[in-house]
Amino acid sequence: MADRRTQLVTRVRGMLSEALGATRGRLAAADAELTAARDRLIRVERAAAAVPARVGAQRDRRLAEIDAQHAARIAELARRAVDAARLEAPGAASADWTRWTVTPAGRGEPPGAVRVGTVRIPGAEPVPALVPLLDAGHVHLTGADADGGASVVPALLLRSLGRADPGAVRLFGYDPEHLGGGLAGFAPLGTAGQLTFVGPGGLGRLLDDLVEQIRRINETVLAGEYRSLRELAGATNRRPEPWRVAVLLGGDELSRHERGQLDRVVRTGAACGVHLVVRGVPVPDDPTVTRVVVGPDGARVGGPPGLPVTLDPPPPAALVTETCRQVAARINAGPPPAPFTDLLPPPEQMWREDSSAGLTAPIGEGPHGRPVLLNLGDYPPHALIGGPSGTGKTNLIFAWIGALASRYSPAELEFYLLDFKEGVSFARFAQGRRDPSWLPHMRLVGINVNTDREFGLALLRFLAEELRRRADAAKKHEVTKLAELRAVDPTGHWPRIVAVVDEFQALLAGRDVVAREAADLLEDLARRGRSQGIHLVLASQDVRGIEALWGRPALVAQFTLRIALPKALRILAERNDAAQSLPRHHAVINAESGLAEGNEVARIPSASDWDAWSELQHRLWRMRPQDAKPARLFDGDAIPRLRDAPDFRALNPPEGDDGPPRSPVALLGEIIDVQARSAVLRLPRAPGRNLAVLGTRIDEACAVLDAAARSLARQHRPGTARFSIACLDPDADPAARELYADLADNAAWYDDETVPELMAETATALDRPGTPATPHYLLLYAVDAAAGQLAARVGGRTGLEHLRRILHDGPERRTHVLAWWRGVARMRVDLGGPAARTDQIGAWVALDVQGAELGSSLYPGSGGPDWYPRPWRGLFFDRAAHRTGQVIIPYGPSA
């Protein structure tokens, strides 16, 4: 038992020892964990104590970053707002007063908003504060301190004026308290009719007028096609109406009628360009009204609460006055012309019109912005244009030609132009050295024709012949009008013809043969040309006193289309004085023979500028048909050259062994006519086939003989013709020597000592039997100067007797005299005296010889031809070919 108890005790003690050891181990571990936990607690407490400082620093850094980003964003937005404001209100609409200047908006470009002050943003550029006005709305200035915002009104008006063309903004001032003093700086506009002051009690009439303007614009200008003038301007690139800005500065309480009219202007005015700038008058709420509220703590723009704005200072008084004076001066000088491109169709629409029924094209812009059309056809058939010098007559003709030429192809329309005044404006339509292009429609251009009325007569004769040709064709096809002829003969060439004669009164001046025939041809063309598509456009500075025209009422009546430029006289009907008040660049278009009820006023574009016209002409020139030829250019101041004459280039010797030509021709000069033809003297074997050049002008006489000799020589092979050149005037020696040198082996030279031998030898050769194989041409320069030498006898006769024999018998023996006498009397003496016959002189060219001197012996009828000498012109008459003389231009020297 004891052992068992001992064993149990021992066992219990061992277990207790083990438990105690385990407990002590766990206690030590717990103490270690406690110590570690306390250490961690200390560390956590230390870390926790550091967190607020670190988080605070990080928070402060992040807040600083956010502030910086915000400030940069604000600055960027402010910069963009400034840029946007400059785009919306460029130039004069927002510039500072220190650098402010007038900067009108471009054509068709809306004027935009205008600046009244700035929005101050800390740390950023001030942003312009804009308010919409022109084409946008109205401005109402209110507040307890509204008078403190007095700078807003002049700023709005001046900036609006600066962004519009002169005359495009009209102001109406109602200032009953200060009697217009609030707008005194704008007073210079009153001289141009752009500022109207309305006195006390006149507000009702002003509002009535504004309402009436709105009604008229809606009815006649917008006409249901556009919702506003701004939309119309954007679509058509034209603004037919000015902006009307009514400035209402206080006054008595409005009546019921006035409140109603004011409400109508507010609701409907902006679309029609009628605007209000109001202070001291209640204005109803409307989306088009921008309110500027001024109080003791500043101004606010827009609806409540409004945008805080620092108002700009008022514009300097001197700037307002000077600007208004400049605007008034520009307005008083007249509106500028519209762009030429306004008359032209889009490039893809050019040459699309058909002229069978007539010609229609715009000539300018009417008062309501719509194009004013000019028609030429059966009615009206012809046009009369009038206006003093400097009023734009040439420009109007250019504009009309451009509008027609861009719509009708050369197959549909041809032009013939004639300008009697000095100048070369029309020359650009023809091919030139400066510009090789030409207007494809142009067939004839005559410039500097002031002394060559015969050229105008030649044009009328040409048109009369064309009228006859068309009338014959119409009769053949049993039709009466051009449209019908073109329908039955579509392969024929039947374009409409427009003949423009500028300063036409020069053609009809006087009572001579030219004026009478020209008037007869004009009357016939005006009466019958309409049915065959030939239209006349006559232009003049002033048609008073043109008896040849106004003495023929039937002729004037055909010109039912009248175009009167400013201050034009006697173009319109007697009691129609609409042209007297026209501004510059405008014209009255009247298709009712000038009666007042037919008036239309058109603003004429600028078309005569070289660059403006050149662009169109080059475009049309590139579109020309392949067989198109340049227009015939006749310049009255230019001297033609023989080598350029088509008739000269066509001359050639006979082919093969045919010998010399049977009937050679001598070219004497260029005929003044539509075609560039040469005056031709035929020299067959017939009596009288000699030429006399009469006059004292050495250069011209030498030029006639020179051209005759060179053209004859061109028809003969070397050695098949004989040219005897006798020069008896030292001043003519250089020209005669040059001709002698060029004719080379075919020519022989004679002077005053040897000319008697020439006469005797040539006269003796006439007695030989048979027909000479070689023609002989005697070119005698100043033959009358050798009267002394020719008086001597050679072979039993004097030289003059030999000369008379040659003149009489020579042509039938292929011997022809081409001689220059320095006067008709001197020639008569050489031919045998005053009573001598002149039949042997079959043709003559008169230079500085009066028509009366030529007499009945040289010219059919009595009294001689109607010939008035002028420099570098001659009258050519051939008994065998002419009924009347031909005016010619001698070919230039050294040809």
Side-chain angles (χ1 to χ4, degrees):
M1 273 308 280
D3 291 337
R4 190 170 178 86
R5 186 179 295 121
T6 302
Q7 290 176 352
L8 288 172
V9 170
T10 301
R11 189 174 177 184
V12 169
R13 287 179 178 174
M15 293 175 64
L16 289 173
S17 296
E18 290 176 2
L20 179 61
T23 301
R24 289 176 178 173
R26 287 195 293 272
L27 179 61
D31 289 340
E33 290 179 1
L34 178 60
T35 301
R38 287 174 177 171
D39 290 340
R40 286 195 302 272
L41 178 60
I42 293 172
R43 289 195 301 271
V44 169
E45 289 176 347
R46 290 176 181 174
V51 165
R54 187 171 66 250
V55 170
Q58 188 173 1
R59 181 200 58 197
D60 293 343
R61 183 172 64 253
R62 182 58 180 161
L63 288 175
E65 291 176 358
I66 293 174
D67 288 342
Q69 292 175 0
H70 178 71
R73 182 62 175 165
I74 291 295
E76 174 64 17
L77 291 176
R79 185 187 64 78
R80 292 185 181 182
V82 171
D83 293 341
R86 288 171 180 168
L87 290 175
E88 179 66 19
S94 63
D96 292 333
W97 298 126
T98 55
R99 50 189 178 87
W100 190 90
T101 185
V102 173
T103 55
R107 184 174 175 82
E109 177 187 351
V114 292
R115 166 178 158 176
V116 293
T118 56
V119 178
R120 300 291 180 177
I121 301 176
E125 181 180 357
V127 178
L130 308 180
V131 296
L133 183 61
L134 301 184
D135 275 344
H138 317 281
V139 177
H140 186 212
L141 187 64
T142 61
D145 195 24
D147 289 339
S151 62
V152 174
V153 174
L156 286 173
L157 300 183
L158 185 61
R159 292 190 186 281
S160 298
L161 288 170
R163 284 297 291 161
D165 290 329
V169 175
R170 295 182 183 175
L171 303 180
F172 301 86
Y174 176 68
D175 187 10
E177 296 181 4
H178 298 91
L179 300 179
L183 301 175
F186 296 88
L189 293 175
T191 61
Q194 301 301 299
L195 173 61
T196 302
F197 285 108
V198 178
L203 178 59
R205 292 191 301 272
L206 172 59
L207 293 175
D208 291 343
D209 181 67
L210 295 179
V211 170
E212 174 59 24
Q213 293 294 340
I214 295 170
R215 185 206 59 77
R216 178 187 62 81
I217 292 170
N218 278 319
E219 179 180 343
T220 63
V221 181
L222 300 179
E225 296 183 32
Y226 302 97
R227 291 174 297 178
S228 66
L229 289 177
R230 181 169 185 169
E231 181 180 313
L232 183 151
T236 64
N237 206 28
R238 292 190 295 267
R239 185 178 182 88
E241 291 286 334
W243 288 282
R244 294 172 172 86
V245 181
V247 184
L248 312 182
L249 303 178
D252 298 331
E253 184 177 353
L254 302 184
S255 66
R256 180 178 179 181
H257 173 73
E258 291 170 344
R259 286 196 304 271
Q261 296 293 68
L262 182 65
D263 180 67
R264 294 182 180 93
V265 173
V266 169
R267 286 187 291 103
T268 63
C272 298
V274 177
H275 307 281
L276 300 173
V277 176
V278 182
R279 188 185 72 198
V281 177
V283 173
D285 290 332
D286 192 86
T288 60
V289 177
T290 300
R291 308 225 180 238
V292 179
V293 182
V294 182
D297 56 346
R300 291 180 176 271
V301 174
L307 180 68
V309 170
T310 301
L311 295 177
D312 286 337
L319 179 63
V320 175
T321 303
E322 183 59 29
T323 300
C324 292
R325 285 175 180 169
Q326 293 176 4
V327 170
R330 288 282 304 277
I331 296 171
N332 290 329
F340 180 41
T341 52
D342 285 1
L343 297 184
L344 308 181
E348 64 275 8
Q349 296 297 323
M350 289 185 175
W351 289 8
R352 296 290 183 87
E353 300 293 333
D354 185 289
S355 66
S356 297
L359 300 167
T360 301
I363 191 60
E365 178 184 278
H368 302 314
R370 302 182 185 276
V372 176
L373 300 180
L374 287 180
N375 299 301
L376 287 177
D378 288 346
Y379 188 90
H382 313 292
L384 196 61
I385 303 173
S389 177
T391 56
K393 177 163 51 65
T394 300
N395 179 75
L396 185 142
I397 293 173
F398 270 70
W400 196 0
I401 290 175
L404 288 171
S406 61
R407 285 167 171 79
Y408 299 93
S409 71
E412 300 287 334
L413 170 65
E414 290 182 348
F415 286 110
Y416 293 79
L417 263 61
L418 199 59
D419 189 356
F420 273 99
K421 68 178 183 297
E422 294 183 2
V424 294
S425 298
F426 290 164
R428 69 185 62 181
F429 298 122
Q431 191 176 35
R433 292 187 299 271
R434 177 181 176 184
D435 186 352
S437 71
W438 70 88
L439 189 65
H441 309 70
M442 202 63 59
R443 307 311 318 139
L444 173 71
V445 177
I447 59 175
N448 294 317
V449 200
N450 51 317
T451 61
D452 291 317
R453 295 189 301 140
E454 295 84 1
F455 189 79
L457 183 60
L459 171 60
L460 297 181
R461 289 171 177 168
F462 173 85
L463 295 176
E465 177 61 25
E466 176 65 17
L467 177 61
R468 184 199 61 76
R469 185 180 76 89
R470 295 185 175 206
D472 290 346
K475 186 181 300 183
K476 174 183 175 181
H477 291 283
E478 298 181 348
V479 296
T480 59
K481 296 182 179 181
L482 181 69
E484 299 170 346
L485 176 60
R486 290 179 56 165
V488 299
D489 185 20
T491 60
H493 182 64
W494 308 114
R496 287 194 178 265
I497 291 175
V498 175
V500 181
V501 184
D502 196 7
E503 301 303 335
F504 72 94
Q505 72 276 6
L507 178 60
L508 303 176
R511 297 179 177 273
D512 56 5
V513 173
V514 173
R516 290 194 294 272
E517 184 179 356
D520 290 339
L521 288 171
L522 272 176
E523 186 167 356
D524 183 58
L525 287 167
R527 180 171 50 86
R528 299 194 299 132
R530 70 169 72 201
S531 61
Q532 302 304 332
I534 298 177
H535 308 284
L536 302 174
V537 177
L538 304 184
S540 175
Q541 292 184 12
D542 188 358
V543 296
R544 285 185 301 179
I546 304 176
E547 298 176 1
L549 178 63
W550 292 106
R552 295 173 178 256
L555 170 59
V556 179
Q558 301 298 326
F559 289 81
T560 52
L561 177 57
R562 310 288 177 84
I563 303 175
L565 292 158
K567 309 301 180 184
L569 299 175
R570 298 197 67 184
I571 294 295
L572 304 176
E574 183 176 355
R575 296 184 180 180
N576 187 354
D577 59 355
Q580 304 309 306
S581 57
L582 277 181
R584 293 178 59 199
H585 312 300
H586 285 68
V588 175
I589 311 299
N590 188 301
E592 302 296 336
S593 299
L595 297 177
E597 53 268 26
N599 287 350
E600 286 188 274
V601 177
R603 182 186 178 198
I604 310 301
S606 176
S608 57
D609 177 72
W610 177 273
D611 293 332
W613 178 263
S614 181
E615 181 178 352
L616 173 64
Q617 179 161 306
H618 276 267
R619 179 184 296 275
L620 299 182
W621 181 63
R622 291 191 294 269
M623 296 168 58
R624 71 190 185 280
Q626 292 183 351
D627 58 348
K629 296 180 180 179
R632 149 91 157 122
L633 175 62
F634 175 84
D635 186 351
D637 287 347
I639 299 176
R641 300 292 178 179
L642 180 64
R643 62 173 176 265
D644 299 328
D647 291 330
F648 179 74
R649 294 197 298 268
L651 297 176
N652 290 294
E655 297 180 0
D657 298 328
D658 295 340
R662 302 182 63 181
S663 181
V665 298
L667 308 184
L668 309 178
E670 182 179 286
I671 302 174
I672 296 182
D673 71 350
V674 174
Q675 292 94 4
R677 297 183 300 155
S678 298
V680 176
L681 171 63
R682 299 192 176 276
L683 297 178
R685 293 175 56 196
R689 292 293 83 197
N690 303 300
L691 174 70
V693 181
L694 307 171
T696 61
R697 294 193 181 122
I698 298 172
D699 292 341
E700 297 170 28
C702 292
V704 173
L705 294 181
D706 185 273
R710 292 179 187 275
S711 56
L712 288 168
R714 190 175 174 88
Q715 300 166 70
H716 299 279
R717 292 192 181 88
T720 62
R722 178 185 174 192
F723 293 86
S724 297
I725 302 175
C727 183
L728 310 173
D729 186 338
D731 292 333
D733 190 76
R737 288 282 183 184
E738 183 177 356
L739 175 63
Y740 170 65
D742 290 344
L743 294 181
D745 297 336
N746 291 333
W749 179 265
Y750 298 88
D751 55 22
D752 54 355
E753 295 182 359
T754 57
V755 70
E757 300 175 5
L758 171 63
M759 297 296 107
E761 174 193 349
T762 305
T764 302
L766 298 178
D767 295 328
R768 296 171 185 166
T771 301
T774 302
H776 187 190
Y777 305 107
L778 282 74
L779 298 162
L780 309 180
Y781 289 75
V783 61
D784 55 285
Q789 291 82 350
L790 294 178
R793 292 184 175 272
V794 179
R797 292 183 179 180
T798 66
L800 287 177
E801 291 173 337
H802 287 307
L803 174 61
R804 294 165 194 159
R805 168 91 191 282
I806 296 169
L807 290 169
H808 190 271
D809 299 331
E812 296 181 83
R813 303 280 294 172
R814 305 185 70 184
T815 299
H816 306 274
V817 175
L818 294 87
W820 165 34
W821 279 275
R822 292 175 295 183
V824 176
R826 294 191 179 198
M827 183 188 72
R828 290 185 183 278
V829 170
D830 289 348
L831 295 182
R837 295 179 61 86
T838 58
D839 296 348
Q840 61 270 45
I841 303 296
W844 47 261
V845 175
L847 300 174
D848 55 339
V849 175
Q850 297 294 332
E853 296 182 51
L854 297 169
S856 58
S857 60
L858 289 173
Y859 194 80
S862 59
D866 285 333
W867 168 243
Y868 305 97
R870 49 194 188 269
W872 211 265
R873 297 292 186 271
L875 182 65
F876 170 48
F877 181 75
D878 186 344
R879 297 176 188 267
H882 298 154
R883 295 177 59 190
T884 59
Q886 289 182 331
V887 180
I888 67 171
I889 307 174
Y891 289 113
S894 302

